[in-house]
Amino acid sequence: MRAAARAQPNIALVKYWGKRDTERNLPAVGSISITLADLSTTMRVEFDETLAGDSLRVNGQPSDAMLPRVSRCLDAVAGQERSRATVVSESNFPIAAGLASSASAFAALVVAADAAAGTGHGREQLANLAGMASGSAARSIYGGFVELANAGDHVAVATLCAAEDWPLTVVVAITASGPKVVGSTQAMETSRDTSPFYARWVEQQSADLDEARAAIGAQDFPRLAAVAEHNCLKMHSVMWASRPPMVYWNATTLECMEAVRDMQADGIPVFFTIDAGPQLKAVCDPSAAAAVRERLETTAGVEAVMVTGLGEGARLLTDG
């Protein structure tokens, strides 16, 4: 009745923003992401029939605010008649700061809970269960380049290209390590309800997915760079035009974007993407990683820089 699992966050290149079914947490659009290697969340789950209720500790501290969401996820995996659980979560990167911590957390949680409860869900079932808790968590079940597609009343998730087949590097510039003021779920609903660009965002997504899929199939870096940056800026335009506007960037985010533009002008193979947070992720060829890291480390306002390759999907640990 005890198990541990580890999962990495993923960074969307063609992004998910908005929901078509808020009850089931189903995304309005498909998405394509890359699963990271060196940033991770470990979840330990122990079911115990003597417990009166669930408990959750995150990085050594009780987390009552997140507990109801975790409990609902455990119910979905193990059934509402399950024993109560002790859950311990540890991440080696800032959480709730636009680095997809919920994706890695809930991907690891469903894998650990499934093993601890002995429910035997398949990988696609686990992806859908993780996605019910955090839309992007479905992608962290898989490694490498991952596509999430809407498929009726569920999502279909698959690896397009293994991490080792196109080993890109991601340099993450941390421009603010605190939690976001507005969570992604709330911001998505605001955008859907108020942004004049939202419908056009949904309409254009299939073309961006086709373009990114083709670029990944051909391992065409400039082609992938162009569609990823364009899709990122479109998503943030939807947010900025919402009422109230959802602006996650800060001045350092913009400085980092300019730094990437300067590197591109110098012929360095790198592009940026930014999720619902202020952190910039610079995706580059491994040969350029040292130069990209040095340039972002020396950008005014950057608090820290993390470098990672691409990695595998969520998996059980043997020391659970």
Side-chain angles (χ1 to χ4, degrees), residues 182-221:
V182 180
S184 296
T185 297
Q186 179 184 340
M188 286 182 195
E189 290 301 289
T190 299
S191 290
R192 184 181 68 172
D193 292 341
T194 67
S195 178
F197 302 152
Y198 181 78
R200 186 65 170 158
W201 157 259
V202 173
E203 179 184 323
Q204 291 189 341
Q205 189 76 345
S206 61
D208 286 358
L209 289 167
D210 290 345
E211 179 70 4
R213 197 182 305 112
I216 292 165
Q219 296 190 13
D220 186 333
F221 188 89

PDB file of all heavy atoms in Angstrom, residues 182-221:
ATOM      1  N   VAL A 182      -2.006  34.962 -10.002  1.00  0.00           N
ATOM      2  CA  VAL A 182      -3.235  34.366 -10.546  1.00  0.00           C
ATOM      3  C   VAL A 182      -2.894  32.988 -11.100  1.00  0.00           C
ATOM      4  O   VAL A 182      -2.003  32.852 -11.938  1.00  0.00           O
ATOM      5  CB  VAL A 182      -3.842  35.242 -11.664  1.00  0.00           C
ATOM      6  CG1 VAL A 182      -5.118  34.601 -12.206  1.00  0.00           C
ATOM      7  CG2 VAL A 182      -4.123  36.648 -11.147  1.00  0.00           C
ATOM      8  N   GLY A 183      -3.568  31.969 -10.623  1.00  0.00           N
ATOM      9  CA  GLY A 183      -3.335  30.618 -11.099  1.00  0.00           C
ATOM     10  C   GLY A 183      -3.780  30.441 -12.539  1.00  0.00           C
ATOM     11  O   GLY A 183      -4.637  31.176 -13.046  1.00  0.00           O
ATOM     12  N   SER A 184      -3.220  29.435 -13.194  1.00  0.00           N
ATOM     13  CA  SER A 184      -3.500  29.230 -14.614  1.00  0.00           C
ATOM     14  C   SER A 184      -4.972  28.934 -14.876  1.00  0.00           C
ATOM     15  O   SER A 184      -5.544  29.427 -15.853  1.00  0.00           O
ATOM     16  CB  SER A 184      -2.634  28.086 -15.152  1.00  0.00           C
ATOM     17  OG  SER A 184      -1.277  28.408 -15.083  1.00  0.00           O
ATOM     18  N   THR A 185      -5.600  28.126 -14.030  1.00  0.00           N
ATOM     19  CA  THR A 185      -7.000  27.761 -14.264  1.00  0.00           C
ATOM     20  C   THR A 185      -7.893  28.991 -14.272  1.00  0.00           C
ATOM     21  O   THR A 185      -8.728  29.169 -15.175  1.00  0.00           O
ATOM     22  CB  THR A 185      -7.477  26.761 -13.201  1.00  0.00           C
ATOM     23  OG1 THR A 185      -6.704  25.555 -13.313  1.00  0.00           O
ATOM     24  CG2 THR A 185      -8.944  26.423 -13.399  1.00  0.00           C
ATOM     25  N   GLN A 186      -7.715  29.846 -13.282  1.00  0.00           N
ATOM     26  CA  GLN A 186      -8.507  31.076 -13.220  1.00  0.00           C
ATOM     27  C   GLN A 186      -8.214  31.973 -14.420  1.00  0.00           C
ATOM     28  O   GLN A 186      -9.129  32.545 -15.034  1.00  0.00           O
ATOM     29  CB  GLN A 186      -8.219  31.830 -11.924  1.00  0.00           C
ATOM     30  CG  GLN A 186      -8.994  33.141 -11.788  1.00  0.00           C
ATOM     31  CD  GLN A 186      -8.612  33.903 -10.530  1.00  0.00           C
ATOM     32  OE1 GLN A 186      -8.058  33.338  -9.576  1.00  0.00           O
ATOM     33  NE2 GLN A 186      -8.893  35.198 -10.513  1.00  0.00           N
ATOM     34  N   ALA A 187      -6.946  32.081 -14.787  1.00  0.00           N
ATOM     35  CA  ALA A 187      -6.564  32.941 -15.905  1.00  0.00           C
ATOM     36  C   ALA A 187      -7.140  32.428 -17.225  1.00  0.00           C
ATOM     37  O   ALA A 187      -7.563  33.216 -18.077  1.00  0.00           O
ATOM     38  CB  ALA A 187      -5.051  33.034 -15.992  1.00  0.00           C
ATOM     39  N   MET A 188      -7.164  31.112 -17.400  1.00  0.00           N
ATOM     40  CA  MET A 188      -7.744  30.545 -18.621  1.00  0.00           C
ATOM     41  C   MET A 188      -9.224  30.891 -18.752  1.00  0.00           C
ATOM     42  O   MET A 188      -9.702  31.236 -19.843  1.00  0.00           O
ATOM     43  CB  MET A 188      -7.582  29.023 -18.625  1.00  0.00           C
ATOM     44  CG  MET A 188      -6.186  28.537 -18.906  1.00  0.00           C
ATOM     45  SD  MET A 188      -6.158  26.728 -18.939  1.00  0.00           S
ATOM     46  CE  MET A 188      -4.392  26.430 -18.815  1.00  0.00           C
ATOM     47  N   GLU A 189      -9.949  30.795 -17.654  1.00  0.00           N
ATOM     48  CA  GLU A 189     -11.375  31.108 -17.699  1.00  0.00           C
ATOM     49  C   GLU A 189     -11.602  32.590 -17.995  1.00  0.00           C
ATOM     50  O   GLU A 189     -12.515  32.956 -18.743  1.00  0.00           O
ATOM     51  CB  GLU A 189     -12.035  30.715 -16.373  1.00  0.00           C
ATOM     52  CG  GLU A 189     -12.124  29.219 -16.155  1.00  0.00           C
ATOM     53  CD  GLU A 189     -12.918  28.530 -17.250  1.00  0.00           C
ATOM     54  OE1 GLU A 189     -14.141  28.708 -17.297  1.00  0.00           O
ATOM     55  OE2 GLU A 189     -12.299  27.845 -18.089  1.00  0.00           O
ATOM     56  N   THR A 190     -10.756  33.439 -17.425  1.00  0.00           N
ATOM     57  CA  THR A 190     -10.857  34.872 -17.714  1.00  0.00           C
ATOM     58  C   THR A 190     -10.618  35.135 -19.193  1.00  0.00           C
ATOM     59  O   THR A 190     -11.340  35.916 -19.828  1.00  0.00           O
ATOM     60  CB  THR A 190      -9.852  35.652 -16.854  1.00  0.00           C
ATOM     61  OG1 THR A 190     -10.147  35.461 -15.476  1.00  0.00           O
ATOM     62  CG2 THR A 190      -9.896  37.139 -17.176  1.00  0.00           C
ATOM     63  N   SER A 191      -9.613  34.479 -19.758  1.00  0.00           N
ATOM     64  CA  SER A 191      -9.314  34.662 -21.185  1.00  0.00           C
ATOM     65  C   SER A 191     -10.466  34.170 -22.056  1.00  0.00           C
ATOM     66  O   SER A 191     -10.857  34.840 -23.020  1.00  0.00           O
ATOM     67  CB  SER A 191      -8.033  33.906 -21.547  1.00  0.00           C
ATOM     68  OG  SER A 191      -6.900  34.518 -20.971  1.00  0.00           O
ATOM     69  N   ARG A 192     -10.992  33.015 -21.742  1.00  0.00           N
ATOM     70  CA  ARG A 192     -12.092  32.476 -22.548  1.00  0.00           C
ATOM     71  C   ARG A 192     -13.314  33.396 -22.516  1.00  0.00           C
ATOM     72  O   ARG A 192     -13.989  33.591 -23.526  1.00  0.00           O
ATOM     73  CB  ARG A 192     -12.479  31.087 -22.044  1.00  0.00           C
ATOM     74  CG  ARG A 192     -13.547  30.408 -22.898  1.00  0.00           C
ATOM     75  CD  ARG A 192     -13.926  29.056 -22.370  1.00  0.00           C
ATOM     76  NE  ARG A 192     -14.630  29.152 -21.092  1.00  0.00           N
ATOM     77  CZ  ARG A 192     -15.210  28.118 -20.484  1.00  0.00           C
ATOM     78  NH1 ARG A 192     -15.141  26.910 -21.017  1.00  0.00           N
ATOM     79  NH2 ARG A 192     -15.822  28.278 -19.335  1.00  0.00           N
ATOM     80  N   ASP A 193     -13.573  33.959 -21.350  1.00  0.00           N
ATOM     81  CA  ASP A 193     -14.780  34.769 -21.180  1.00  0.00           C
ATOM     82  C   ASP A 193     -14.634  36.188 -21.701  1.00  0.00           C
ATOM     83  O   ASP A 193     -15.635  36.819 -22.069  1.00  0.00           O
ATOM     84  CB  ASP A 193     -15.169  34.828 -19.694  1.00  0.00           C
ATOM     85  CG  ASP A 193     -15.638  33.484 -19.158  1.00  0.00           C
ATOM     86  OD1 ASP A 193     -16.003  32.602 -19.971  1.00  0.00           O
ATOM     87  OD2 ASP A 193     -15.619  33.301 -17.928  1.00  0.00           O
ATOM     88  N   THR A 194     -13.398  36.724 -21.750  1.00  0.00           N
ATOM     89  CA  THR A 194     -13.261  38.161 -22.016  1.00  0.00           C
ATOM     90  C   THR A 194     -12.312  38.531 -23.145  1.00  0.00           C
ATOM     91  O   THR A 194     -12.395  39.658 -23.650  1.00  0.00           O
ATOM     92  CB  THR A 194     -12.774  38.895 -20.744  1.00  0.00           C
ATOM     93  OG1 THR A 194     -11.438  38.497 -20.432  1.00  0.00           O
ATOM     94  CG2 THR A 194     -13.683  38.605 -19.560  1.00  0.00           C
ATOM     95  N   SER A 195     -11.394  37.647 -23.544  1.00  0.00           N
ATOM     96  CA  SER A 195     -10.410  38.069 -24.541  1.00  0.00           C
ATOM     97  C   SER A 195     -10.992  38.030 -25.949  1.00  0.00           C
ATOM     98  O   SER A 195     -11.529  37.005 -26.381  1.00  0.00           O
ATOM     99  CB  SER A 195      -9.171  37.167 -24.495  1.00  0.00           C
ATOM    100  OG  SER A 195      -8.253  37.556 -25.507  1.00  0.00           O
ATOM    101  N   PRO A 196     -10.886  39.120 -26.707  1.00  0.00           N
ATOM    102  CA  PRO A 196     -11.388  39.120 -28.081  1.00  0.00           C
ATOM    103  C   PRO A 196     -10.567  38.230 -29.011  1.00  0.00           C
ATOM    104  O   PRO A 196     -10.991  37.934 -30.126  1.00  0.00           O
ATOM    105  CB  PRO A 196     -11.278  40.590 -28.493  1.00  0.00           C
ATOM    106  CG  PRO A 196     -10.174  41.145 -27.636  1.00  0.00           C
ATOM    107  CD  PRO A 196     -10.293  40.422 -26.336  1.00  0.00           C
ATOM    108  N   PHE A 197      -9.397  37.794 -28.552  1.00  0.00           N
ATOM    109  CA  PHE A 197      -8.523  36.953 -29.381  1.00  0.00           C
ATOM    110  C   PHE A 197      -8.695  35.465 -29.110  1.00  0.00           C
ATOM    111  O   PHE A 197      -8.095  34.642 -29.807  1.00  0.00           O
ATOM    112  CB  PHE A 197      -7.051  37.322 -29.138  1.00  0.00           C
ATOM    113  CG  PHE A 197      -6.719  38.760 -29.412  1.00  0.00           C
ATOM    114  CD1 PHE A 197      -5.675  39.371 -28.737  1.00  0.00           C
ATOM    115  CD2 PHE A 197      -7.438  39.509 -30.333  1.00  0.00           C
ATOM    116  CE1 PHE A 197      -5.350  40.696 -28.973  1.00  0.00           C
ATOM    117  CE2 PHE A 197      -7.129  40.837 -30.577  1.00  0.00           C
ATOM    118  CZ  PHE A 197      -6.080  41.434 -29.895  1.00  0.00           C
ATOM    119  N   TYR A 198      -9.500  35.105 -28.121  1.00  0.00           N
ATOM    120  CA  TYR A 198      -9.547  33.704 -27.693  1.00  0.00           C
ATOM    121  C   TYR A 198     -10.059  32.777 -28.799  1.00  0.00           C
ATOM    122  O   TYR A 198      -9.467  31.723 -29.057  1.00  0.00           O
ATOM    123  CB  TYR A 198     -10.404  33.547 -26.432  1.00  0.00           C
ATOM    124  CG  TYR A 198     -10.460  32.123 -25.946  1.00  0.00           C
ATOM    125  CD1 TYR A 198      -9.403  31.571 -25.231  1.00  0.00           C
ATOM    126  CD2 TYR A 198     -11.564  31.316 -26.219  1.00  0.00           C
ATOM    127  CE1 TYR A 198      -9.434  30.255 -24.797  1.00  0.00           C
ATOM    128  CE2 TYR A 198     -11.603  29.994 -25.797  1.00  0.00           C
ATOM    129  CZ  TYR A 198     -10.535  29.477 -25.087  1.00  0.00           C
ATOM    130  OH  TYR A 198     -10.571  28.166 -24.676  1.00  0.00           O
ATOM    131  N   ALA A 199     -11.134  33.130 -29.450  1.00  0.00           N
ATOM    132  CA  ALA A 199     -11.705  32.257 -30.484  1.00  0.00           C
ATOM    133  C   ALA A 199     -10.717  32.041 -31.625  1.00  0.00           C
ATOM    134  O   ALA A 199     -10.604  30.933 -32.161  1.00  0.00           O
ATOM    135  CB  ALA A 199     -13.010  32.846 -31.010  1.00  0.00           C
ATOM    136  N   ARG A 200      -9.992  33.090 -31.988  1.00  0.00           N
ATOM    137  CA  ARG A 200      -9.005  32.976 -33.056  1.00  0.00           C
ATOM    138  C   ARG A 200      -7.843  32.089 -32.620  1.00  0.00           C
ATOM    139  O   ARG A 200      -7.298  31.327 -33.431  1.00  0.00           O
ATOM    140  CB  ARG A 200      -8.509  34.369 -33.430  1.00  0.00           C
ATOM    141  CG  ARG A 200      -7.580  34.407 -34.624  1.00  0.00           C
ATOM    142  CD  ARG A 200      -8.264  33.990 -35.899  1.00  0.00           C
ATOM    143  NE  ARG A 200      -7.434  34.252 -37.067  1.00  0.00           N
ATOM    144  CZ  ARG A 200      -7.561  33.645 -38.229  1.00  0.00           C
ATOM    145  NH1 ARG A 200      -8.499  32.722 -38.396  1.00  0.00           N
ATOM    146  NH2 ARG A 200      -6.779  33.956 -39.245  1.00  0.00           N
ATOM    147  N   TRP A 201      -7.459  32.159 -31.359  1.00  0.00           N
ATOM    148  CA  TRP A 201      -6.421  31.289 -30.801  1.00  0.00           C
ATOM    149  C   TRP A 201      -6.802  29.817 -30.994  1.00  0.00           C
ATOM    150  O   TRP A 201      -6.002  29.018 -31.475  1.00  0.00           O
ATOM    151  CB  TRP A 201      -6.240  31.626 -29.324  1.00  0.00           C
ATOM    152  CG  TRP A 201      -5.659  30.537 -28.467  1.00  0.00           C
ATOM    153  CD1 TRP A 201      -6.342  29.711 -27.630  1.00  0.00           C
ATOM    154  CD2 TRP A 201      -4.284  30.163 -28.361  1.00  0.00           C
ATOM    155  NE1 TRP A 201      -5.479  28.846 -27.016  1.00  0.00           N
ATOM    156  CE2 TRP A 201      -4.210  29.101 -27.444  1.00  0.00           C
ATOM    157  CE3 TRP A 201      -3.108  30.630 -28.951  1.00  0.00           C
ATOM    158  CZ2 TRP A 201      -3.012  28.482 -27.098  1.00  0.00           C
ATOM    159  CZ3 TRP A 201      -1.907  30.024 -28.610  1.00  0.00           C
ATOM    160  CH2 TRP A 201      -1.866  28.971 -27.699  1.00  0.00           C
ATOM    161  N   VAL A 202      -8.024  29.477 -30.638  1.00  0.00           N
ATOM    162  CA  VAL A 202      -8.484  28.092 -30.776  1.00  0.00           C
ATOM    163  C   VAL A 202      -8.516  27.687 -32.250  1.00  0.00           C
ATOM    164  O   VAL A 202      -8.074  26.594 -32.622  1.00  0.00           O
ATOM    165  CB  VAL A 202      -9.874  27.930 -30.129  1.00  0.00           C
ATOM    166  CG1 VAL A 202     -10.439  26.536 -30.408  1.00  0.00           C
ATOM    167  CG2 VAL A 202      -9.794  28.173 -28.620  1.00  0.00           C
ATOM    168  N   GLU A 203      -8.978  28.590 -33.091  1.00  0.00           N
ATOM    169  CA  GLU A 203      -9.123  28.303 -34.522  1.00  0.00           C
ATOM    170  C   GLU A 203      -7.777  28.018 -35.188  1.00  0.00           C
ATOM    171  O   GLU A 203      -7.673  27.163 -36.069  1.00  0.00           O
ATOM    172  CB  GLU A 203      -9.810  29.493 -35.193  1.00  0.00           C
ATOM    173  CG  GLU A 203     -10.016  29.359 -36.682  1.00  0.00           C
ATOM    174  CD  GLU A 203     -10.617  30.627 -37.267  1.00  0.00           C
ATOM    175  OE1 GLU A 203     -11.461  31.255 -36.591  1.00  0.00           O
ATOM    176  OE2 GLU A 203     -10.236  31.005 -38.391  1.00  0.00           O
ATOM    177  N   GLN A 204      -6.723  28.718 -34.784  1.00  0.00           N
ATOM    178  CA  GLN A 204      -5.420  28.589 -35.438  1.00  0.00           C
ATOM    179  C   GLN A 204      -4.556  27.469 -34.879  1.00  0.00           C
ATOM    180  O   GLN A 204      -3.505  27.147 -35.447  1.00  0.00           O
ATOM    181  CB  GLN A 204      -4.654  29.909 -35.323  1.00  0.00           C
ATOM    182  CG  GLN A 204      -5.237  31.037 -36.145  1.00  0.00           C
ATOM    183  CD  GLN A 204      -4.323  32.246 -36.155  1.00  0.00           C
ATOM    184  OE1 GLN A 204      -3.451  32.396 -35.295  1.00  0.00           O
ATOM    185  NE2 GLN A 204      -4.507  33.117 -37.133  1.00  0.00           N
ATOM    186  N   GLN A 205      -4.980  26.849 -33.789  1.00  0.00           N
ATOM    187  CA  GLN A 205      -4.099  25.895 -33.120  1.00  0.00           C
ATOM    188  C   GLN A 205      -3.746  24.680 -33.982  1.00  0.00           C
ATOM    189  O   GLN A 205      -2.601  24.206 -33.961  1.00  0.00           O
ATOM    190  CB  GLN A 205      -4.731  25.427 -31.803  1.00  0.00           C
ATOM    191  CG  GLN A 205      -3.816  24.602 -30.917  1.00  0.00           C
ATOM    192  CD  GLN A 205      -2.780  25.440 -30.190  1.00  0.00           C
ATOM    193  OE1 GLN A 205      -2.546  26.600 -30.534  1.00  0.00           O
ATOM    194  NE2 GLN A 205      -2.159  24.873 -29.175  1.00  0.00           N
ATOM    195  N   SER A 206      -4.698  24.176 -34.753  1.00  0.00           N
ATOM    196  CA  SER A 206      -4.412  22.964 -35.539  1.00  0.00           C
ATOM    197  C   SER A 206      -3.297  23.211 -36.550  1.00  0.00           C
ATOM    198  O   SER A 206      -2.469  22.318 -36.805  1.00  0.00           O
ATOM    199  CB  SER A 206      -5.676  22.473 -36.238  1.00  0.00           C
ATOM    200  OG  SER A 206      -6.173  23.455 -37.127  1.00  0.00           O
ATOM    201  N   ALA A 207      -3.242  24.405 -37.120  1.00  0.00           N
ATOM    202  CA  ALA A 207      -2.179  24.718 -38.077  1.00  0.00           C
ATOM    203  C   ALA A 207      -0.822  24.738 -37.387  1.00  0.00           C
ATOM    204  O   ALA A 207       0.179  24.244 -37.926  1.00  0.00           O
ATOM    205  CB  ALA A 207      -2.455  26.060 -38.749  1.00  0.00           C
ATOM    206  N   ASP A 208      -0.759  25.296 -36.170  1.00  0.00           N
ATOM    207  CA  ASP A 208       0.500  25.311 -35.426  1.00  0.00           C
ATOM    208  C   ASP A 208       0.918  23.902 -35.034  1.00  0.00           C
ATOM    209  O   ASP A 208       2.114  23.564 -35.065  1.00  0.00           O
ATOM    210  CB  ASP A 208       0.366  26.184 -34.175  1.00  0.00           C
ATOM    211  CG  ASP A 208       0.351  27.673 -34.490  1.00  0.00           C
ATOM    212  OD1 ASP A 208       0.482  28.036 -35.674  1.00  0.00           O
ATOM    213  OD2 ASP A 208       0.208  28.472 -33.545  1.00  0.00           O
ATOM    214  N   LEU A 209      -0.032  23.071 -34.663  1.00  0.00           N
ATOM    215  CA  LEU A 209       0.288  21.684 -34.318  1.00  0.00           C
ATOM    216  C   LEU A 209       0.853  20.941 -35.526  1.00  0.00           C
ATOM    217  O   LEU A 209       1.845  20.210 -35.410  1.00  0.00           O
ATOM    218  CB  LEU A 209      -0.961  20.970 -33.799  1.00  0.00           C
ATOM    219  CG  LEU A 209      -1.453  21.395 -32.413  1.00  0.00           C
ATOM    220  CD1 LEU A 209      -2.858  20.853 -32.158  1.00  0.00           C
ATOM    221  CD2 LEU A 209      -0.504  20.903 -31.325  1.00  0.00           C
ATOM    222  N   ASP A 210       0.231  21.136 -36.680  1.00  0.00           N
ATOM    223  CA  ASP A 210       0.730  20.486 -37.900  1.00  0.00           C
ATOM    224  C   ASP A 210       2.158  20.925 -38.213  1.00  0.00           C
ATOM    225  O   ASP A 210       3.016  20.118 -38.578  1.00  0.00           O
ATOM    226  CB  ASP A 210      -0.180  20.816 -39.086  1.00  0.00           C
ATOM    227  CG  ASP A 210      -1.537  20.143 -39.007  1.00  0.00           C
ATOM    228  OD1 ASP A 210      -1.702  19.201 -38.200  1.00  0.00           O
ATOM    229  OD2 ASP A 210      -2.445  20.571 -39.745  1.00  0.00           O
ATOM    230  N   GLU A 211       2.413  22.230 -38.075  1.00  0.00           N
ATOM    231  CA  GLU A 211       3.730  22.769 -38.378  1.00  0.00           C
ATOM    232  C   GLU A 211       4.794  22.232 -37.400  1.00  0.00           C
ATOM    233  O   GLU A 211       5.889  21.821 -37.807  1.00  0.00           O
ATOM    234  CB  GLU A 211       3.692  24.296 -38.331  1.00  0.00           C
ATOM    235  CG  GLU A 211       5.014  24.986 -38.606  1.00  0.00           C
ATOM    236  CD  GLU A 211       5.482  24.873 -40.048  1.00  0.00           C
ATOM    237  OE1 GLU A 211       4.747  24.308 -40.887  1.00  0.00           O
ATOM    238  OE2 GLU A 211       6.605  25.332 -40.339  1.00  0.00           O
ATOM    239  N   ALA A 212       4.464  22.218 -36.120  1.00  0.00           N
ATOM    240  CA  ALA A 212       5.419  21.734 -35.122  1.00  0.00           C
ATOM    241  C   ALA A 212       5.666  20.239 -35.290  1.00  0.00           C
ATOM    242  O   ALA A 212       6.813  19.776 -35.172  1.00  0.00           O
ATOM    243  CB  ALA A 212       4.911  22.038 -33.724  1.00  0.00           C
ATOM    244  N   ARG A 213       4.627  19.490 -35.554  1.00  0.00           N
ATOM    245  CA  ARG A 213       4.771  18.040 -35.744  1.00  0.00           C
ATOM    246  C   ARG A 213       5.698  17.745 -36.921  1.00  0.00           C
ATOM    247  O   ARG A 213       6.564  16.855 -36.847  1.00  0.00           O
ATOM    248  CB  ARG A 213       3.399  17.409 -35.957  1.00  0.00           C
ATOM    249  CG  ARG A 213       3.366  15.893 -35.760  1.00  0.00           C
ATOM    250  CD  ARG A 213       1.975  15.334 -36.050  1.00  0.00           C
ATOM    251  NE  ARG A 213       0.943  15.989 -35.263  1.00  0.00           N
ATOM    252  CZ  ARG A 213       0.004  16.789 -35.769  1.00  0.00           C
ATOM    253  NH1 ARG A 213      -0.034  17.048 -37.074  1.00  0.00           N
ATOM    254  NH2 ARG A 213      -0.908  17.323 -34.989  1.00  0.00           N
ATOM    255  N   ALA A 214       5.520  18.492 -38.006  1.00  0.00           N
ATOM    256  CA  ALA A 214       6.385  18.308 -39.177  1.00  0.00           C
ATOM    257  C   ALA A 214       7.824  18.692 -38.865  1.00  0.00           C
ATOM    258  O   ALA A 214       8.772  18.019 -39.292  1.00  0.00           O
ATOM    259  CB  ALA A 214       5.854  19.125 -40.348  1.00  0.00           C
ATOM    260  N   ALA A 215       8.017  19.779 -38.116  1.00  0.00           N
ATOM    261  CA  ALA A 215       9.368  20.216 -37.750  1.00  0.00           C
ATOM    262  C   ALA A 215      10.068  19.182 -36.880  1.00  0.00           C
ATOM    263  O   ALA A 215      11.262  18.897 -37.057  1.00  0.00           O
ATOM    264  CB  ALA A 215       9.297  21.553 -37.026  1.00  0.00           C
ATOM    265  N   ILE A 216       9.334  18.593 -35.948  1.00  0.00           N
ATOM    266  CA  ILE A 216       9.912  17.572 -35.080  1.00  0.00           C
ATOM    267  C   ILE A 216      10.248  16.324 -35.893  1.00  0.00           C
ATOM    268  O   ILE A 216      11.321  15.727 -35.731  1.00  0.00           O
ATOM    269  CB  ILE A 216       8.940  17.240 -33.926  1.00  0.00           C
ATOM    270  CG1 ILE A 216       8.828  18.446 -32.993  1.00  0.00           C
ATOM    271  CG2 ILE A 216       9.408  15.998 -33.152  1.00  0.00           C
ATOM    272  CD1 ILE A 216       7.658  18.374 -32.035  1.00  0.00           C
ATOM    273  N   GLY A 217       9.355  15.935 -36.805  1.00  0.00           N
ATOM    274  CA  GLY A 217       9.619  14.768 -37.637  1.00  0.00           C
ATOM    275  C   GLY A 217      10.870  14.925 -38.479  1.00  0.00           C
ATOM    276  O   GLY A 217      11.613  13.964 -38.694  1.00  0.00           O
ATOM    277  N   ALA A 218      11.118  16.145 -38.942  1.00  0.00           N
ATOM    278  CA  ALA A 218      12.305  16.422 -39.768  1.00  0.00           C
ATOM    279  C   ALA A 218      13.506  16.874 -38.943  1.00  0.00           C
ATOM    280  O   ALA A 218      14.582  17.093 -39.507  1.00  0.00           O
ATOM    281  CB  ALA A 218      11.967  17.495 -40.796  1.00  0.00           C
ATOM    282  N   GLN A 219      13.319  17.026 -37.631  1.00  0.00           N
ATOM    283  CA  GLN A 219      14.345  17.590 -36.741  1.00  0.00           C
ATOM    284  C   GLN A 219      14.893  18.894 -37.326  1.00  0.00           C
ATOM    285  O   GLN A 219      16.102  19.126 -37.402  1.00  0.00           O
ATOM    286  CB  GLN A 219      15.453  16.565 -36.473  1.00  0.00           C
ATOM    287  CG  GLN A 219      14.943  15.344 -35.728  1.00  0.00           C
ATOM    288  CD  GLN A 219      16.020  14.412 -35.229  1.00  0.00           C
ATOM    289  OE1 GLN A 219      17.197  14.760 -35.218  1.00  0.00           O
ATOM    290  NE2 GLN A 219      15.636  13.217 -34.798  1.00  0.00           N
ATOM    291  N   ASP A 220      13.944  19.743 -37.708  1.00  0.00           N
ATOM    292  CA  ASP A 220      14.247  21.029 -38.336  1.00  0.00           C
ATOM    293  C   ASP A 220      14.183  22.111 -37.254  1.00  0.00           C
ATOM    294  O   ASP A 220      13.096  22.598 -36.921  1.00  0.00           O
ATOM    295  CB  ASP A 220      13.237  21.291 -39.456  1.00  0.00           C
ATOM    296  CG  ASP A 220      13.537  22.538 -40.263  1.00  0.00           C
ATOM    297  OD1 ASP A 220      14.161  23.466 -39.722  1.00  0.00           O
ATOM    298  OD2 ASP A 220      13.125  22.594 -41.440  1.00  0.00           O
ATOM    299  N   PHE A 221      15.322  22.494 -36.702  1.00  0.00           N
ATOM    300  CA  PHE A 221      15.343  23.421 -35.576  1.00  0.00           C
ATOM    301  C   PHE A 221      14.782  24.796 -35.936  1.00  0.00           C
ATOM    302  O   PHE A 221      13.941  25.326 -35.199  1.00  0.00           O
ATOM    303  CB  PHE A 221      16.760  23.543 -35.019  1.00  0.00           C
ATOM    304  CG  PHE A 221      16.832  24.323 -33.733  1.00  0.00           C
ATOM    305  CD1 PHE A 221      16.683  23.701 -32.512  1.00  0.00           C
ATOM    306  CD2 PHE A 221      17.033  25.703 -33.743  1.00  0.00           C
ATOM    307  CE1 PHE A 221      16.735  24.421 -31.325  1.00  0.00           C
ATOM    308  CE2 PHE A 221      17.084  26.435 -32.575  1.00  0.00           C
ATOM    309  CZ  PHE A 221      16.936  25.790 -31.352  1.00  0.00           C
TER     310      PHE A 221
END
